[in-house]
Amino acid sequence: MFRTALRNVLAHKARLLMTVLAVTLGVAFVSGTLVFTDTLKKSLSGQSAKSYEGVAVSVTSYGQGRNEAGEKEGEPGLSQQTLDKVKALPGVGSVSGRVFGFAGVGDENGKLIGSGWSNQGANYTPVKDGKDPRYTFTQGAGPAKLDEIALDRATADKGKYKVGDKVRVATNGPVKEYSLAGVFTTEDGAVQAGGSLVLFDTKVAQELYLKPGYFMELSVAAKDGASADKLLADIKSLVDSKHTKAQTGAALAKEQAKDIEKGLGQMGTMLLVFAGISLFVGIFLIYNTFTMLVTQRTKELALLRAVGANRGQVMRSVLAEALVVGAVSAVVGLISGVGLAVAMRSLIGTFGAKLPGGDLVIAPSTVVAALVIGVLVTTIAAVLPAWRTGRIAPVAAMGSAHLPATAKSLVLRNVLGSVISVLGIGLVGLGVSMGGDDGRMSIGAGAFFMLIGMIVLLPLLSKPVIGAVRPLLQKVFGIPGKLASQNAVRNPRRTAVTAASLAIGLTLVTTLSVLGITVGKVVDRMSTEKLKADYKVSMAGGMGYLDKSVAETLTKTPGIKAVSPQTAGYFMVGKDFRSASGVNPAAIGRLLNIETVSGSVDSLGKGEVLVAEKTAKSQNLAVGSTLKVKYDDGQEGTLKVGAVYKDMEGLLSPFVLDDKILTQHSEESAVAEVYVNVEGGASKAGQQKVVDALGKNPAINVATQQDMRNEMGGMINTMLNVMYGLLGMALIISVLGVVNTLAMSVFERTQEIGMLRAIGLDRGRVKNMIRLEAVVISLFGATLGVAIGVFLAWAVGTTMAKSMPNYELILPWDRIGIFLLLAAVVGVLAAMWPARSAARLNMLTAIKTE
């Protein structure tokens, strides 16, 4: 029986090739993800371990903390005195202190080099031999003077800088010029991620990022033979354990390796989810393929039964075919997955990130996973066709072309599908009523049951839905249109399975599209309705805070008529911290459209506070209420509520007060952004005026309202495009499913097509009949998918509406139209081979076919 199964596999190569391809795609996605994440994990962990070579103990400061009363305690970092004490310990070879933060380097045009989030600055700390072991200089040397810096080689090359050149560097304050003392290479993660690294003299770095005489980290090297654990114990006795963390370099490298693994695990999980979707869709194709193959071999299987094969042997022969196909698919998928991992690695490089070198990691678990998934998915999909084959009596099989479902089985299927669908809809409704994250979890579970219920009910739905469009097809396309609609529902089970694969893909695509477009519109509406400022000034890449001098400089600039910082701060009410925004009372009304529920925005000028509507309701506050508060510096005061305003999440904190009140009680500037209006309104000249006033600082971004819309819109579109790309694999498998269904349809109707040709239906109309059948099936699945996708997007959107002001569901009819058009194109493309085969049938041979 196994030899028979193997012969059958080889006898139907074209049909099984599509099954192999479907399984291969899913397995390749899984194995490629595993190989890629394992390789990346090993290389990054190796890089992390390399960066801590020679570090016996590392001490990290958490900075100043706060006691229960909200008062600051402890030192801002690790002091020079602490460093000296550590250095004096027996067994310590050397100690280097480090401070770091944001630093942006401008190119010759003043544009920022590298990604904002990974542009870093740090101090250069040479040890005994006069070198810092973390950096290898290819030109010059490290900074030895206050006005000198060193740059990583990639940044120097991009900016075309050489030793001795003047380089404009910006932190969160005014841009400054430094002399380039050297160019180096490094394994630093910021540089590897496509950013930049600027090395300053230690005194300069301390002033920029912390406080003179203090460090954020200490790296301790041991003398030969000294124990790292003994050094760790000695160092812990010297430092404040409440505000610092000391650990060995080996422990720190291991901890970072775990963090890397955790971060990559999240990415791997997302990719594996999409791989799972592809494999799930592939099950329908495999099921259809084996159903088709069993139907084609009905007489052959009956003969095997007649000569002595029992039901179990016939079933096992079909399952043996599935095992062979699954094994071949798994091997090919594994090989393809390795290639996919190489491609993913190269793709990251095109975005400017530099991954550490190293061989691909093909773990034994990856090989086992590929083989198990390929064989298991194929076998599961083939179980039902095999079981049906074993149930057929030899005589009945020899007299039937296909195996019609009994009325009892269809009734049972429809009842089961209805129950599952109702359960899914109920869970979605429950999620809508709950709202929030819990509600979205319930909707996710409901969506799963809805899709399963839809798959089960599709045979019932196919006849009335496709029957409704039959008159239109007949009117537009004549006889081919009528025949196509009849053929599409001739075998409702097979039509349903084919349509289901498209429906699943389109459900996910539509849900993501509707949500993405809707959220984009909400953000855009917020920009146009709430933001009246011509420009928003912020740090490039959203890194850190602006220096308070930015607002002061712009206020003094001729041609700028309104300026307000948005300073992030807080105060305490009782034992609770309250987030607050500091603004300019005289200008904020011209820069932001603050709608008040009660009171007036002008009350800010009187030293009163504005409270967001939700916060006011939750804390029982109203105009005239007073708050006893404790500020950042520990001083206490009383604030009177001057107005309650409609929430402006993303623009203002729940409490808004005069920036002078907030900043006079804070040691550090925390200006998140500065809003600006210029005379004559927004224009390129006005934008340039703001840029020039800030010294053409490469680290500061001056955005128009359109820039802000584009930024958020670009993020959403990028996310959607990534999702479309990942779901594209499932849609490719759906196309293969349509091809298989049509091929089966042509096989079953060989004699019928011969008769149609004999009575005058020419080859062109035969092709049109097959094409229209494919389009009908594709559009049937696509329409169901779009409908369910819109419903799920509405449900998910409802759970987010409370947290998003002015939320309103937007249906992107243009994209929905494109999805349906693509489904029709899919049908046409999938029908090319079956239509050509049907048109080329010899009519006399076809008529004689049984």
Side-chain angles (χ1 to χ4, degrees), residues 493-535:
R493 283 178 181 268
R494 192 169 60 235
T495 296
V497 172
T498 306
S501 60
L502 275 169
I504 293 169
L506 266 297
T507 294
L508 297 172
V509 168
T510 303
T511 302
L512 292 171
S513 295
V514 173
L515 285 175
I517 298 298
T518 298
V519 172
K521 290 292 184 182
V522 170
V523 174
D524 184 69
R525 194 178 295 120
M526 183 181 293
S527 298
T528 55
E529 294 181 2
K530 300 296 184 183
L531 187 62
K532 297 194 291 185
D534 295 330
Y535 308 106

Side-chain angles (χ1 to χ4, degrees), residues 113-135:
I113 298 175
S115 306
W117 64 271
S118 57
N119 290 328
Q120 296 289 312
N123 62 313
Y124 179 68
T125 54
V127 287
K128 285 184 178 180
D129 57 358
K131 297 179 181 179
D132 190 326
R134 293 171 294 186
Y135 313 109

